[in-house]
Every structure is written in C-alpha cells, then in structure tokens.
C-alpha cells in the first residue's frame, strides 16, 4: 500500500508534476515552496525539475509498486482512476487538492472521502480551470445574496497547450450527463443546446459540456439551473464538432478503437493561447457577470487555480483551513481568493447587471467589485 506521512517542512507532492499543468504548478510555487514531482517516467521530469529545484521520483499509478514519502500537502494533477493518491493522502491526514476529475470520477471521490472520514482537508477542485469558474461564481453569488442560476461559457483557444489529461477530460462527447435545470434533474447530451454569447466582447458559439460545477453548485448554493458550455476560438472547429455530434459520431465512435481519432479532434498542440470564460449568476431577478482572461493560457489558469486551492487547504490564504471534504465555491472569502488569482496575472472584470445575456460595458475592476 502507498504510504504518505505529514511533514510540515516537507515538499508539496504533485503527481503528474512534469505534465503540462503539473509543471506549471511547480513553477508558480518555486522557489519559496519545495515540490516533489512524480509520474511514470522520471526522466521526462529531470529538465523541469532542474529548472525550479524540484525533486523527481517515480509513482506510476498503474503500477502496484507502493509509493512512500513525507509531504506537506498534495496537488493531484493527473488522472487517478483507482483513487490511490486520494486514499494515501486521506489516510495520512495530509491536505489534498484534486484538479483533474470529470464529474463521474468526482462523484466517486465524494463517496470515497465520506467513507475515509479524513481529518485533513480534501478539496475537490475540478470545476473548470482548477476551480476558477466556481470561485468567480461564488463572488457573484455573494454580491447577489444567492445563485439561483449559474451559466458558464468557455472559449477554448485552439492555439493553446493542452496535456493528455485535459483531452481525456473532454473526450466524453458521446456520454449524456445529469444536469439541474429549473430545479429538476434531467439528462443532457454534450454539444447540444448551443447558443451564442459574448465573451470579452467577441461572439462565441457555445454548447453544453459535462463539468463538475454543474454537479456541485446545486449542492452548495441550491442553484436551480447550472449550465456550462464550451466553444472554440475557431468558429469552423465549433461548427465541425456540432456537425459531428449531429451525425452521432461521438456516440458510435465511443470505444477505445476510435479514441485516437476523437482525441485528435480535441488536442491543442499549440505553443500558447489566451484562456477566456464568462460567468453569469442570477438571483432575485438580478444578473451579475464576470469575464476571466488569462493571457498565459488555459494550463496557466488551471495551475493558478490549483495554487489558490493549495493555500486554501493549508490555511495560508487568510482564512482557516477547512476540515474534511470541500468544493472551491465554499471558500469563506471568495473575493479574497479572486484577488490571489489576479495577483498571478489573471484578469477578472465584473460587469454591471446584465439581464439580457449580452455585455453592457465594463464597470468592474480586477479583483472583487
């Protein structure tokens, strides 16, 4: 069995630490926070580790060889299909942040955590971009006094970098998922219910995608409608995916045989792009909107979300560390968390009331309104 033990002066363990997002997390934490990067092939991690002064070790989650280490906390940035990292952290009483789970696996992690009854914080922060979407929604809900309706629209930059786990996260376009709509649960199909929204002044065609905040926000805020939609920086790519969905491609090509073809459609091999998303929260007949922009890209925004999550579970963000299972939107000071995002170069603009679903001019500032 894997064995972690708490070491307050030890490193932050990052499984998947030399992947696209994991390496970015380590860069942000360096040089003030020592890190331990693990993965299947430590040779891949030598160069990024040397760059930031991190330690590299092997922990192949598909290999039964036990892993042992003393660590201060864990940020899991790799898919953990058997919950090995979660089990090890919870059993050891080590603070844990997870940013890689799609909804089904997050729901299982909730059950596992409930059974393990951890004494240390377990932050399941797989909402879009390391929990950023949920944190911003929490700020808007605090301003409005609630969140009856939360709608998130994401613009995926085709020029940006994306790791294998990001593609696997999205590679479920043939699988229906449960949503809450008007206070009732129903099944929704990926890449349906499309609409055009303005994200940072640009019209983007977006369609539904399965993301964990659509599961957690109704539980934490009592949200009666939660919807996340995604579109692409290339309108042609969005049209192509919508057309493929209408042919049933993602349904009949859902097996492993077709996985390379599906993932080739979703993979972003570019050198870098800009991450953008829009969050609309409605409560009591009023709507507030926030636009999030990260010029360093989606992998950087996810990494920043993970670092904010780390500060949350360690209690170093100005609020006491939580106990047991929490989601990002349950932060006691979401505006303060957003200020941390801004401090890492993320631009967040809060707009005035927007009851028609279109931008009406920006009146917000960076950080909380």
């Amino acid at each position: 069995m894997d064995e972690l033990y708490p070491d307050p002066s030890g490193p932050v363990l990052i499984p998947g630490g030399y992947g696209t997002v994991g390496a970015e997390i380590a860069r942000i934490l360096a040089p003030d926070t020592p890190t331990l990067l693990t993965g299947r092939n430590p040779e891949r991690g030598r160069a990024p580790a040397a760059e930031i002064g991190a330690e590299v070790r092997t922990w192949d989650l598909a290999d039964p060889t036990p892993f042992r280490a003393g660590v201060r906390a864990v940020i899991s940035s790799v898919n953990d299909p058997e919950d090995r990292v979660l089990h090890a952290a919870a059993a050891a009483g080590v603070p844990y942040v997870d940013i890689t789970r799609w909804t089904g696996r997050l729901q299982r992690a909730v059950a596992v955590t409930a059974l393990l009854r951890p004494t240390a914080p377990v932050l399941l922060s797989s909402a879009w971009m390391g929990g950023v979407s949920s944190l911003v929604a929490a700020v808007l809900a605090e301003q409005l006094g609630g969140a009856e309706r939360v709608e998130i629209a994401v613009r995926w930059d085709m020029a940006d970098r994306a790791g294998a786990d990001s593609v696997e996260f999205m590679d479920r376009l043939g699988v229906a998922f449960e949503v809450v709509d008007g206070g009732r649960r129903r099944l929704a199909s990926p890449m349906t219910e499309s609409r055009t929204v303005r994200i940072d002044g640009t019209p983007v065609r977006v369609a539904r995608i399965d993301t964990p905040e659509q599961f957690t926000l109704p539980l934490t805020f009592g949200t009666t409608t939660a919807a996340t939609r995604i579109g692409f920086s290339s309108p042609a790519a969005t049209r192509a995916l919508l057309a493929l969905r209408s042919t049933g491609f993602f349904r009949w090509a859902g097996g492993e045989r077709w996985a390379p073809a599906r993932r080739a459609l979703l993979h972003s091999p570019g050198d870098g792009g800009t991450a953008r998303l829009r969050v609309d929260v409605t409560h009591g007949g009023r709507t507030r909107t926030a636009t999030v922009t990260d010029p360093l890209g989606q992998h950087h925004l996810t990494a920043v979300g993970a670092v904010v999550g780390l500060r949350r579970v360690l209690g170093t963000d100005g609020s006491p560390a939580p106990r047991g299972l929490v989601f990002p939107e349950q932060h006691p000071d979401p505006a303060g968390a957003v200020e941390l995002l801004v401090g890492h170069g993320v631009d967040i603009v809060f707009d005035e009331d927007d009851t028609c679903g279109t931008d009406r001019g920006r009146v917000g500032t960076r950080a909380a309104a």
Side-chain angles (χ1 to χ4, degrees):
M1 294 183 62
D2 304 304
E3 184 181 351
L4 300 180
Y5 56 90
D7 181 356
S9 61
V12 172
L13 169 64
I14 309 177
Y18 39 88
T20 302
V21 173
E24 192 69 19
I25 294 170
R27 289 189 194 98
I28 294 171
L29 291 176
D32 298 328
T33 304
T35 52
L36 169 58
L37 316 183
T38 66
R40 287 191 299 263
N41 183 1
E43 291 305 316
R44 283 186 53 207
R46 303 294 182 201
E51 174 190 340
I52 61 174
E55 181 186 356
V56 179
R57 288 180 54 189
T58 301
W59 191 5
D60 183 352
L61 298 181
D63 184 332
T65 302
F67 178 84
R68 294 180 174 86
V71 298
R72 183 183 181 191
V74 176
I75 303 177
S76 185
S77 65
V78 68
N79 284 326
D80 183 15
E82 301 302 325
D83 300 310
R84 284 180 64 176
V85 183
L86 172 59
H87 273 277
V94 171
Y96 171 88
V97 180
D98 193 303
I99 61 168
T100 60
R101 295 175 183 269
W102 55 79
T103 308
R105 287 190 175 175
L106 182 138
Q107 290 169 333
R108 187 183 67 195
V110 170
V112 169
T113 304
L115 292 171
L116 293 174
R117 298 182 180 179
T119 57
V122 172
L123 175 61
L124 298 181
S125 196
S126 294
W128 191 258
M129 296 298 160
V132 169
S133 61
S134 291
L135 280 174
V136 173
V139 174
L140 298 174
E142 192 173 73
Q143 294 170 356
L144 291 169
E148 295 168 13
R149 185 181 190 94
V150 179
E151 297 202 60
I152 298 166
V154 175
R155 176 188 176 273
W156 181 274
D157 194 328
M158 302 292 288
D160 206 354
R161 299 165 57 199
D165 284 349
S166 297
V167 175
E168 189 174 354
F169 185 102
M170 294 179 62
D171 184 23
R172 298 181 321 286
L173 296 184
V175 181
F177 54 97
E178 187 179 82
V179 298
V180 175
D181 191 355
R184 305 185 68 176
R185 297 187 179 276
R186 65 176 177 86
L187 289 179
S189 296
M191 301 310 291
T192 61
E193 304 172 36
S194 64
R195 61 183 59 178
T196 299
V197 299
R198 299 185 72 84
I199 303 177
D200 202 17
T202 301
V204 181
R205 191 72 176 171
V206 295
R208 295 206 69 141
I209 188 171
D210 183 14
T211 53
E213 66 269 15
Q214 295 172 98
F215 165 69
T216 66
L217 290 173
L219 298 177
T220 53
F221 288 164
T223 300
T224 55
T225 295
T228 299
R229 293 178 170 86
I230 192 169
F232 298 85
S233 57
S234 165
T238 302
R239 289 194 297 269
L241 282 175
L242 291 173
L244 281 172
R245 194 276 311 165
S246 66
T247 67
F249 170 79
F250 292 105
R251 184 176 63 255
W252 58 259
E256 284 302 312
R257 175 185 175 187
W258 289 93
R262 293 193 315 272
R263 294 177 186 182
L265 292 170
L266 301 170
H267 182 52
S268 297
D271 295 326
T274 300
R276 289 191 176 92
L277 65 141
R278 167 178 169 154
V279 181
D280 293 270
V281 175
T282 301
H283 185 76
R286 298 174 57 215
T287 299
R288 294 296 310 272
T289 299
T291 303
V292 180
T293 304
D294 190 338
L296 296 181
Q298 290 138 185
H299 71 290
H300 180 263
L301 183 58
T302 304
V304 171
V307 170
V308 171
L310 175 66
R311 296 190 62 176
R312 176 80 182 100
V313 299
L314 291 177
T316 59
D317 61 355
S319 298
R323 298 188 64 182
L325 173 66
V326 290
F327 301 121
E329 64 268 22
Q330 293 177 289
H331 199 294
D333 181 17
V338 164
E339 289 177 359
L340 295 176
L341 296 173
V342 173
H344 285 286
V346 179
D347 185 35
I348 304 179
V349 177
F350 293 87
D351 298 339
E352 61 186 11
D353 280 14
D354 182 8
T355 56
C356 299
T358 56
D359 292 333
R360 292 184 178 178
R362 296 179 170 187
V363 298
T365 61
R366 289 191 174 193

